[in-house]
């Protein structure tokens, strides 16, 4: 969010503005270490998977699934990057609503880790739509991220499919087709986003009881979120992994922090 030397002044400004402690979610190890220096307790919260587009391909035994998905054009699927004025907004919203009905939380968009979709053109956001026989069946929205004022990558932020369309895999085909476009543009990286609670590790200054609770949630909490299925799907890309962290300010109890986090995510 800022240059390293501006981190502490920015945090001071945040605390002065909110006048209350802030919980930090999905921060990297450097940010977590800086927060520990200010008395925060930090827990591992999962793994982000990302790819170097300069070297990515679908060769090899471990990428057999991706090679299969990359051939969906032969099955009649077509991927287009389109402006909002070029798509059927009602169809886009309908797919999103039908997709959400297959999830544990059906009435609200989950927030915090994933930015909710914007049904309009949005600055820097790239939107790729997948069609089958002329009918829109799914889409992927990519958010940019930056370094030194330049776009260095995109994150596959919104991934939605019309339930019941077979065979499965056309969303991966959409991502692979978008990656070809980004590669031609010289974009360096693609992030597949966070696999929450996957491969949790012990971390200095953590809350041990929170890690145990997270591990139980990962194992038994599929009724709330498809933790294991999501992680398995992301690992199919054989991407690089980096742990992200949750940082809780001093003086905040675990129950209070947990409730605040669930409310922010809009689980309830």
């Amino acid at each position: 969010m800022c240059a390293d030397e501006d981190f502490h002044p920015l945090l001071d400004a945040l605390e002065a503005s909110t006048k209350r402690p802030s919980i930090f979610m999905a921060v990297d190890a450097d940010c977590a270490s800086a927060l520990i220096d200010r008395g925060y307790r930090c827990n591992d919260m999962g793994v982000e998977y990302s790819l170097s587009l300069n070297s990515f391909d679908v060769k090899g035994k471990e990428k057999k699934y991706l090679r299969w998905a990359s051939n969906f054009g032969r099955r009649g699927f077509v991927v287009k990057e389109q402006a909002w004025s070029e798509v059927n907004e009602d169809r886009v919203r309908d797919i999103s609503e039908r997709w959400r009905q297959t999830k544990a939380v059906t009435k609200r968009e989950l927030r915090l880790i994933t930015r909710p979709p914007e049904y309009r053109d949005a600055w820097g956001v790239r939107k790729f739509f997948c069609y089958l026989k002329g009918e829109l069946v799914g889409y992927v929205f990519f958010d940019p991220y930056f370094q030194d004022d330049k776009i260095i990558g995109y994150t596959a932020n919104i991934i939605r499919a019309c339930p019941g369309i077979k065979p499965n895999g056309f969303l991966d085909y959409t991502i692979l087709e978008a990656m070809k476009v980004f590669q031609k543009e010289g974009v360096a990286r693609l992030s597949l986003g966070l696999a929450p609670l996957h491969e949790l590790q012990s971390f200095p200054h953590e809350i041990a009881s929170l890690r145990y609770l997270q591990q139980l949630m990962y194992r038994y909490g599929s009724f709330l979120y498809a933790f294991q299925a999501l992680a398995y799907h992301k690992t199919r890309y054989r991407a690089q992994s980096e742990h992200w962290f949750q940082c809780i300010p001093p003086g905040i109890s675990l129950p209070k922090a947990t409730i605040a986090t669930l409310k922010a995510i809009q689980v309830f």
Side-chain angles (χ1 to χ4, degrees), residues 61-125:
K61 182 179 180 180
E62 293 183 334
K63 295 180 180 177
K64 180 179 179 181
Y65 166 77
L66 293 181
R67 280 198 305 280
W68 173 75
S70 69
N71 289 315
F72 267 43
R74 301 175 183 176
R75 299 173 180 264
F77 291 90
V78 176
V79 173
K80 303 177 183 179
E81 182 178 12
Q82 295 177 291
W84 193 247
S85 61
E86 299 176 304
V87 299
N88 184 325
E89 180 176 346
D90 291 339
R91 177 62 176 171
V92 175
R93 290 180 178 274
D94 179 64
I95 288 175
S96 184
E97 181 63 27
R98 293 171 65 183
W99 173 87
R100 200 165 62 241
Q101 294 307 308
T102 67
K103 306 301 176 182
V105 179
T106 61
K107 296 182 179 180
R108 296 177 297 278
E109 292 280 0
L110 296 182
R111 298 177 181 270
L112 200 62
I113 295 174
T114 299
R115 189 169 69 89
E118 294 185 83
Y119 299 111
R120 58 182 179 84
D121 288 323
W123 180 83
V125 178

Side-chain angles (χ1 to χ4, degrees), residues 95-192:
I95 288 175
S96 184
E97 181 63 27
R98 293 171 65 183
W99 173 87
R100 200 165 62 241
Q101 294 307 308
T102 67
K103 306 301 176 182
V105 179
T106 61
K107 296 182 179 180
R108 296 177 297 278
E109 292 280 0
L110 296 182
R111 298 177 181 270
L112 200 62
I113 295 174
T114 299
R115 189 169 69 89
E118 294 185 83
Y119 299 111
R120 58 182 179 84
D121 288 323
W123 180 83
V125 178
R126 309 283 292 271
K127 299 185 177 183
F128 289 78
F129 299 87
C130 185
Y131 295 84
L132 178 61
K133 298 180 180 178
E135 181 179 15
L136 180 63
V137 294
Y139 47 88
V140 183
F141 296 170
F142 295 88
D143 284 359
Y145 56 97
F146 302 81
Q147 185 175 358
D148 299 327
D149 298 324
K150 296 180 180 180
I151 293 176
I152 61 167
Y154 289 93
T155 297
N157 181 53
I158 296 297
I159 304 175
R160 302 284 161 94
C162 183
I165 301 297
K166 300 295 182 180
N168 292 326
F170 62 88
L171 285 179
D172 289 300
Y173 175 63
T174 305
I175 292 174
L176 291 169
E177 289 295 291
M179 288 170 66
K180 292 179 182 178
V181 175
F182 299 150
Q183 285 174 321
K184 290 179 180 178
E185 295 173 352
V187 176
R189 300 198 65 80
L190 177 79
S191 171
L192 300 172

